[in-house]
């Protein structure tokens, strides 16, 4: 017996899985997009093991968790709310392994929605994305990657947004809160350029129109900001600004 549950709301994006096999069950849980934690438990009989597994499943359902298929159906509802926007990003993490496959799932899911909902998705994206255009985040990205051009900062902010609402909001408040997520990257760079084009690719797949048509709308909605950071690139300035990030990446940036 195996069951996969998720809890995706405006305040939560967690998964919980259980697999009962013989007299042992394995439970994995955590934030969607992370490896999470794993617990195992052994029982005196298969019957006892299955009974306890079903009890845990019922407990999770009462707390607001849903089976993956049911949660996905709810995200298919009409009208692209902010909650659905974040929910689709969270579900993309859960449904596929690797950014490329997750992007394919997200574009395909958006393409099955109405043109209006695709544009609303882009609107929610742009509204949230704009909030991350801060000097502090730019300084943090510069430390993490060893340098950070305008384009690189755009891609970094897309990766940041893809972490989910909770991580995104906290990183804007305190960029050093990103350290646990950076640890999971290993050799990868914290950038996700493709996410910038999810809505336009879905629009193209949906309508057959040239992607440039949608990109014109995208840039019109999001604006083209030529602001520059208000911090100096000197080592001492950056070290003082974010000492924890500097300790980890100042002399050994990712990428």
């Amino acid at each position: 017996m195996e069951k996969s549950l998720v809890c995706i709301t405006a305040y939560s994006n967690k998964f919980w899985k259980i697999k009962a096999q013989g007299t042992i069950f394995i439970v994995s849980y955590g934030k969607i997009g992370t490896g999470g934690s794993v617990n195992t438990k052994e029982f005196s009989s298969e019957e006892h093991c299955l009974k306890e597994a079903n009890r845990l499943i019922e407990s999770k359902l009462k707390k607001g968790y849903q089976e993956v298929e049911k949660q996905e159906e709810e995200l298919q509802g009409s009208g692209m709310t902010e909650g659905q926007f974040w929910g689709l990003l969270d579900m993309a993490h859960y449904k596929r392994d690797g950014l490329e496959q997750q992007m394919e799932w997200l574009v395909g899911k958006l393409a099955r929605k109405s043109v209006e909902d695709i544009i609303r998705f882009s609107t929610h994206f742009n509204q949230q994305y704009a909030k991350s255009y801060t000097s502090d985040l730019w300084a943090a990205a510069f430390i993490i990657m060893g340098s950070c051009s305008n384009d690189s900062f755009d891609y970094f902010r897309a990766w940041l947004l893809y972490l989910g609402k909770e991580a995104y909001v906290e990183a804007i408040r305190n960029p050093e809160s990103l350290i646990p997520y950076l640890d999971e990257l290993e050799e990868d760079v914290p950038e996700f350029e493709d996410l910038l084009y999810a809505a336009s690719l879905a629009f193209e797949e949906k309508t057959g129109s040239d992607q440039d048509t949608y990109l014109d709308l995208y840039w019109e909605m999001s604006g083209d900001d030529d602001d520059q950071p208000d911090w100096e690139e000197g080592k001492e300035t950056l070290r003082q600004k974010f000492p924890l990030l500097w300790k980890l990446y100042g002399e050994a940036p990712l990428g």
Side-chain angles (χ1 to χ4, degrees), residues 1-39:
M1 184 271 286
E2 189 171 355
K3 190 75 72 173
S4 296
L5 308 178
V6 291
C7 183
I8 299 175
T9 69
Y11 308 100
S12 176
N13 63 322
K14 298 180 289 186
F15 71 89
W16 186 87
K17 302 179 182 179
I18 189 167
K19 181 177 182 180
Q21 187 170 357
T23 60
I24 297 175
F25 69 51
I26 303 171
V27 173
S28 57
Y29 60 93
K31 290 183 179 180
I32 292 175
T34 69
S37 301
V38 177
N39 286 333

Side-chain angles (χ1 to χ4, degrees), residues 75 80 84-92 105 109-110 113:
L75 292 176
M80 179 63 65
Q84 286 184 320
F85 164 77
W86 287 112
L88 282 171
L89 295 185
D90 291 337
M91 187 61 74
W105 181 89
K109 188 63 63 175
L110 283 172
K113 291 184 173 293

Side-chain angles (χ1 to χ4, degrees), residues 150-185:
N150 293 59
D151 287 346
S152 185
F153 187 44
D154 287 342
Y155 309 153
F156 172 80
R157 291 157 57 214
W159 170 82
L160 173 60
L161 192 147
Y162 193 58
L163 292 178
K165 184 176 182 179
E166 182 181 346
Y168 184 70
V169 171
E170 180 60 19
I172 293 173
R173 189 189 70 82
N174 173 25
E176 291 189 326
S177 67
L178 288 173
I179 290 173
Y181 299 96
L182 295 168
D183 289 343
E184 295 181 0
L185 288 176

Side-chain angles (χ1 to χ4, degrees), residues 93-120:
H93 278 288
Y94 186 83
K95 295 292 288 187
R96 295 290 185 272
D97 291 327
L99 289 180
E100 184 176 348
Q101 288 187 319
Q102 291 170 13
M103 180 69 176
E104 289 178 359
W105 181 89
L106 180 60
V107 170
K109 188 63 63 175
L110 283 172
R112 290 193 285 275
K113 291 184 173 293
S114 67
V115 170
E116 183 178 3
D117 275 351
I118 295 173
I119 294 174
R120 284 178 178 171

Side-chain angles (χ1 to χ4, degrees), residues 7 25 27 42 45 55 78 83-84 88 91 98 103 111 127-128 138 142 152 161 163 185 194 204 213 237 241 245:
C7 183
F25 69 51
V27 173
E42 187 171 5
S45 67
R55 185 190 69 79
S78 61
Q84 286 184 320
L88 282 171
M91 187 61 74
M103 180 69 176
Q127 288 174 345
Q128 297 299 326
W138 204 336
F142 191 98
S152 185
L161 192 147
L163 292 178
L185 288 176
D194 289 350
E204 182 180 14
T213 303
T237 299
K241 196 172 188 67
L245 284 174

